[in-house]
């Protein structure tokens, strides 16, 4: 089993109510990055966020109205990645995940990838890859200032489904530019909405009605064409001669159709969450065995990183039973803080379900839980800093995991 690490850099009150300064957040993060490299984690994945979560609460339609502080401080993945590479020797670096709708959109993001790798790959002995996880972005407010908003009443009625289609359009642009192609918007997939894009007849009916009223139609249409979100003449990004073997792409979407579509363009792997039901996990692996782009080689389970929250307690002076109890208390405190921040309330049922999907306990129990729940060939993206700003404790947990849990899982002592 392979072990990566996930860094949230989330500047929000932890379970004790403490919120570090921005400089404290970054100092703790880079300390953890250096230790993760020493411990042998494979990829250091960094959450990317944009714009102040705190300020968006003043918006007319705040996306996360109760979230205190900032959901994340990594607003420029490429600058953070460059520093991570400079301060480590073995670990690779990834974004989990970078929105290609914000920050200028897919064209700007493709150009940034090429620029980064043109510099990163100057040393011919460099073999560490940049893993670019990309998505539409979890929080919609981060893309709104870049024009990702409904442009008329039809788009407003269709918005929840249409936003996914905008991401599909952006994904094609992003991937074809990374391939080094010359493209124009005329060459990109058209967006045509049908009943299949919507969850219910009622949702689709609202779009049909809006199309009749807005476009002067006599009858409800079976198809509703949508103008391109990105309109441009022929373009090609520069630099052009960067080492594409140093790039690995990972899609942050559960849309089965999109997972297959992007792999018609180039190899694109996929993220998944520990809370995803096992049958969905296996269906995803089956789909990628069929559709993964041949240039990426045969599909392997390790190509789908799976997020897992780790609440391990290996603190001195406690018996194994006391470590188990303390770890569960720490997990429930962190998860309660999370649900309170996300929804403004603490739902005991959601906390209980979340603890069922985390790994919790002393090193032996955590190892047992991983062996019970995961395939030996899986890649786990371990999350240690979840609502925990005690960097020294986070580092002890990382160390306990890689020196005591990982060997147990992979057949060692």
């Amino acid at each position: 089993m392979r072990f990566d690490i996930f860094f949230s850099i989330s500047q929000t009150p932890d379970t004790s109510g403490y919120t570090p300064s921005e400089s404290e957040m970054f100092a703790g993060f880079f300390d953890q990055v250096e230790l993760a490299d020493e411990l042998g984690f494979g990829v250091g994945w960094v959450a990317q966020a944009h714009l102040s979560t705190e300020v968006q609460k003043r918006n007319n339609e705040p996306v996360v109205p109760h979230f205190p502080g900032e959901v994340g401080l990594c607003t420029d993945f490429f600058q953070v990645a460059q520093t991570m590479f400079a301060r480590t020797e073995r670990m690779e670096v990834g974004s989990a995940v970078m929105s290609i709708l914000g920050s200028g959109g897919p064209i700007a993001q493709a150009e940034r990838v090429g620029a980064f790798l043109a510099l990163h790959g100057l040393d011919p002995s460099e073999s560490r890859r940049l893993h670019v996880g990309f998505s539409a972005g979890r929080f919609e407010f981060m893309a709104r200032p870049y024009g990702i908003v409904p442009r008329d009443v039809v788009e407003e009625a269709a918005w929840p489904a249409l936003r996914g289609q905008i991401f599909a359009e952006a994904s094609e642009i992003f991937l074809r530019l990374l391939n080094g192609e010359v493209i124009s918007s005329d060459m990109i997939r058209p967006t045509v909405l049908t009943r299949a894009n919507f969850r219910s007849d009622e949702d689709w009916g609202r779009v049909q009605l809006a199309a009749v009223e807005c476009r002067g139609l006599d009858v409800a249409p079976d198809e509703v064409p949508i103008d391109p979100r990105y309109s441009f003449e022929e373009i090609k990004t520069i630099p052009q001669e960067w080492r594409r073997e140093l790039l690995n792409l990972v899609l942050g979407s559960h849309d089965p159709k999109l997972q297959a579509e992007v792999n018609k363009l180039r190899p694109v792997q996929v993220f998944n969450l520990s809370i995803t039901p096992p049958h969905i996990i296996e269906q995803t692996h089956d789909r990628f065995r069929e559709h993964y782009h041949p240039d990426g080689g045969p599909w392997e389970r390790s190509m789908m990183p799976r997020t897992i929250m780790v609440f391990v307690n290996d603190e001195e002076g406690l018996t194994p039973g006391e470590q188990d109890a303390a770890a569960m208390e720490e997990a429930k405190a962190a998860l309660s803080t999370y649900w309170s921040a996300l929804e403004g309330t603490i739902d005991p049922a959601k906390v209980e379900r979340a603890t069922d999907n985390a790994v919790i306990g002393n090193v032996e129990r955590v190892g047992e839980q991983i062996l019970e729940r995961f395939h030996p060939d899986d890649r786990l993206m371990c999350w240690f800093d979840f609502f925990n700003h005690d960097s020294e404790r986070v580092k002890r947990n990382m160390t306990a995991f890689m020196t005591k849990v990982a060997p147990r899982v992979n057949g060692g002592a």
Side-chain angles (χ1 to χ4, degrees):
M1 199 173 297
R2 302 186 189 186
F3 298 106
D4 296 345
I5 187 168
F6 174 75
F7 301 101
S8 61
I9 327 182
S10 185
Q11 190 193 24
T12 194
D14 63 13
T15 56
S16 71
Y18 175 63
T19 304
S21 67
E22 291 179 353
S23 59
E24 288 174 315
M25 289 291 305
F26 281 118
F29 161 64
F30 283 116
D31 278 350
Q32 293 164 29
V33 165
E34 292 179 2
L35 178 61
D37 182 52
E38 294 169 12
L39 291 171
F41 284 99
V43 182
W45 299 92
V46 186
Q48 179 160 306
H50 297 287
L51 308 174
S52 171
T53 314
E54 207 35 70
V55 170
Q56 67 84 38
K57 290 192 286 189
R58 308 176 198 166
N59 294 172
N60 291 330
E61 297 180 11
V63 177
V64 275
H66 308 289
F67 204 100
E70 304 302 342
V71 72
L73 294 182
C74 173
T75 59
D76 188 331
F77 167 67
F78 300 103
Q79 290 197 60
V80 171
Q82 192 279 331
T83 305
M84 291 174 70
F85 276 124
R87 295 176 71 153
T88 57
E89 296 180 358
R90 297 179 295 169
M91 191 168 68
E92 298 184 335
V93 176
S95 58
V97 284
M98 179 184 81
S99 169
I100 59 169
L101 299 186
S103 297
I107 298 170
Q109 296 289 39
E111 201 161 42
R112 290 180 186 117
V113 172
F116 183 96
L117 288 171
L119 301 177
H120 179 63
L122 281 176
D123 180 353
S125 67
E126 181 61 74
S127 61
R128 292 187 294 169
R129 292 179 299 168
L130 184 74
H131 300 258
V132 176
F134 66 99
S135 74
R138 180 179 181 189
F139 297 118
E140 193 175 333
F141 79 89
M142 297 176 182
R144 286 176 186 162
Y146 295 97
I148 308 302
V149 293
R151 296 173 293 189
D152 59 27
V153 295
V154 176
E155 293 193 359
E156 188 171 0
W159 190 246
L162 178 57
R163 189 167 180 264
Q165 296 304 304
I166 294 171
F167 176 57
E169 178 186 344
S171 294
E172 181 178 348
I173 294 167
F174 180 64
L175 296 173
R176 292 181 67 176
L177 289 174
L178 291 177
N179 284 344
E181 296 182 44
V182 174
I183 61 170
S184 68
S185 53
D186 293 339
M187 301 163 63
I188 305 303
R189 61 183 291 285
T191 296
V192 180
L193 301 177
T194 66
R195 169 65 184 86
N197 295 112
F198 297 87
R199 294 183 178 180
S200 69
D201 290 339
E202 290 77 13
D203 290 344
W204 172 232
R206 282 191 288 271
V207 176
Q208 290 176 304
L209 180 60
V212 167
E213 294 177 351
C214 181
R215 300 180 180 180
L217 305 179
D218 295 326
V219 296
D222 293 328
E223 297 183 341
V224 177
I226 301 293
D227 288 340
R229 179 63 50 159
Y230 304 97
S231 181
F232 53 93
E233 296 185 64
E234 287 193 341
I235 58 171
K236 182 178 184 178
T237 57
I238 54 172
Q240 302 177 32
E241 299 174 359
W242 47 275
R243 293 167 55 192
R244 284 171 172 79
E245 76 273 14
L246 297 182
L247 172 65
N248 183 50
L249 291 159
V250 189
L251 178 68
S253 170
H254 294 291
D255 182 343
K257 183 178 179 182
L258 183 60
Q259 291 171 353
E261 287 296 316
V262 295
N263 271 288
K264 294 177 181 178
L265 301 172
R266 60 175 296 130
V268 181
Q269 298 170 8
V270 66
F271 287 113
N272 228 303
L273 301 175
S274 61
I275 59 174
T276 304
H279 72 282
I280 299 295
I281 293 289
E282 297 312 314
Q283 287 174 6
T284 305
H285 281 302
D286 289 343
R287 185 180 311 115
F288 274 78
R289 288 187 191 99
E290 179 181 355
H291 293 289
Y292 188 52
H293 195 288
D295 288 354
W299 176 256
E300 299 176 6
R301 291 187 71 94
S302 62
M303 292 174 174
M304 183 170 72
R306 298 183 61 186
T307 310
I308 183 75
M309 288 181 288
V310 179
F311 297 98
V312 63
N313 189 301
D314 191 45
E315 296 296 278
E316 294 181 357
L318 300 178
T319 67
E322 289 170 338
Q323 290 171 339
D324 269 348
M328 180 59 74
E329 187 176 331
E330 291 159 356
K332 287 188 173 180
L335 291 161
S336 296
T337 303
Y338 169 73
W339 285 113
S340 178
L342 199 64
E343 297 187 349
T345 60
I346 299 173
D347 184 338
K350 288 186 176 180
V351 172
E352 199 63 37
R353 284 197 298 271
T355 59
D356 288 344
N357 287 295
V359 291
I360 305 167
N362 62 44
V363 292
E364 186 172 349
R365 283 292 300 128
V366 167
E368 290 170 354
Q369 291 164 34
I370 290 174
L371 287 170
E372 288 167 3
R373 298 181 199 172
F374 297 96
H375 189 281
D377 296 328
D378 279 344
R379 176 187 294 274
L380 302 189
M381 190 191 306
C382 302
W383 190 354
F384 297 93
D385 70 349
F386 183 79
F387 283 85
N388 187 350
H389 295 317
D390 183 349
S391 187
E392 293 305 313
R393 173 61 193 280
V394 170
K395 290 193 290 183
R396 290 199 300 274
N397 291 354
M398 292 164 54
T399 301
F401 185 89
M402 287 301 276
T403 61
K404 297 181 181 181
V405 176
R408 281 177 166 83
V409 170
N410 286 328

